[in-house]
Amino acid sequence: DTAVSQTPKYLVTQMGNDKSIKCEQNLGHDTMYWYKQDSKKFLKIMFSYNNKELIINETVPNRFSPKSPDKAHLNLHINSLELGDSAVYFCASSPTGTGISPLHFGNGTRLTVT
Amino acid sequence: DQQVKQNSPSLSVQEGRISILNCDYTNSMFDYFLWYKKYPAEGPTFLISISSIKDKNEDGRFTVFLNKSAKHLSLHIVPSQPGDSAVYFCAASETGANNLFFGTGTRLTVIP
């Protein structure tokens, strides 16, 4: 019974394609996040949702569009993929959005754009 | 502009000895600090945290020390075990914020 699960684990695609990554948490948490880990291993927040509402939208190209159909799901859709989008994308959740609750991470989706 | 820095990308320690992982931050508004552990092909998992009202927090073999004046924290693991081999991320947050700022991680290798 995985707490935060994201699919797919690996995603290889060509430039210009549109792809989605799905995330689900069964912890009953109110807040969900997408983080990106780039080639320099730097983990940086992209989006934060609290009860389906967007809380944080960092400086991310608008080709990236998160969607939260309910508080247990936060999907990430990426349009017109570029080489620089290659990274590992982590979904996470927390009981509150204050940052003082430890985040629970999924196992990541390694996206490779060729 | 990295607000949390881990300047040692890697550290090797003999089994049974102490591992000390270091972290520095620049934002004086940060008041909550966490350490995460990450194995390959897995997401980071929470290890231990400390709030700025304390200077030490201990949980079994893991102790985190916070030096607010130096904007520095460290994670001590003693005794180190081979299963501790992983990448350790330091993270910081400001109460009320919805974001954690992460360092780039330190890869710890515990040699049997």
Side-chain angles (χ1 to χ4, degrees):
Chain A
D1 54 342
T2 307
V4 180
S5 60
Q6 49 183 113
T7 55
K9 191 168 179 66
Y10 300 97
L11 185 52
V12 181
T13 189
Q14 291 184 329
M15 284 175 54
N17 285 347
D18 303 339
K19 290 293 179 186
S20 292
I21 308 172
K22 295 185 176 181
C23 179
E24 175 181 4
Q25 54 97 1
N26 62 6
L27 297 166
H29 290 168
D30 289 328
T31 307
M32 294 186 72
Y33 311 79
W34 278 107
Y35 276 80
K36 177 181 179 180
Q37 186 179 32
D38 60 23
S39 57
K40 296 180 181 177
K41 307 302 181 188
F42 188 37
L43 255 175
K44 188 174 179 182
I45 193 168
M46 300 173 69
F47 302 102
S48 167
Y49 268 72
N50 185 273
N51 266 319
K52 303 192 299 176
E53 288 191 23
L54 182 65
I55 303 296
I56 291 178
N57 182 354
E58 290 295 312
T59 308
V60 175
N62 57 15
R63 298 181 295 103
F64 290 79
S65 54
K67 287 197 169 41
S68 183
D70 55 60
K71 78 172 193 177
H73 295 83
L74 180 62
N75 304 323
L76 183 65
H77 189 76
I78 316 170
N79 289 328
S80 303
L81 278 156
E82 300 177 356
L83 292 176
D85 298 332
S86 296
V88 182
Y89 293 84
F90 287 98
C91 177
S93 72
S94 68
T96 67
T98 63
I100 64 172
S101 304
L103 302 185
H104 296 251
F105 283 88
N107 285 335
T109 296
R110 182 175 294 277
L111 171 65
T112 303
V113 182
T114 62
Chain B
D1 179 29
Q2 237 178 296
Q3 300 187 53
V4 178
K5 297 179 183 178
Q6 294 175 256
N7 292 318
S8 297
S10 62
L11 174 69
S12 290
V13 171
Q14 289 285 341
E15 181 178 3
R17 308 294 281 267
I18 185 171
S19 296
I20 300 177
L21 296 96
N22 293 303
C23 177
D24 297 293
Y25 60 97
T26 58
N27 188 340
S28 58
M29 298 299 292
F30 287 151
D31 57 5
Y32 190 67
F33 305 89
L34 308 91
W35 283 94
Y36 280 80
K37 177 178 179 179
K38 184 183 180 303
Y39 291 117
E42 294 184 9
T45 56
F46 170 70
L47 191 57
I48 192 169
S49 64
I50 188 168
S51 85
S52 59
I53 63 173
K54 294 186 173 183
D55 54 19
K56 176 183 174 181
N57 188 25
E58 192 172 349
D59 183 2
R61 297 185 297 112
F62 302 90
T63 303
V64 56
F65 295 91
L66 175 62
N67 182 334
K68 290 186 291 292
S69 60
K71 293 193 180 71
H72 177 83
L73 64 154
S74 60
L75 174 68
H76 292 210
I77 306 172
V78 56
S80 301
Q81 298 173 354
D84 296 330
S85 296
V87 177
Y88 289 80
F89 288 95
C90 170
S93 178
E94 188 182 337
T95 300
N98 285 276
N99 189 7
L100 275 181
F101 291 87
F102 283 85
T104 49
T106 297
R107 180 178 299 279
L108 173 66
T109 302
V110 180
I111 304 163

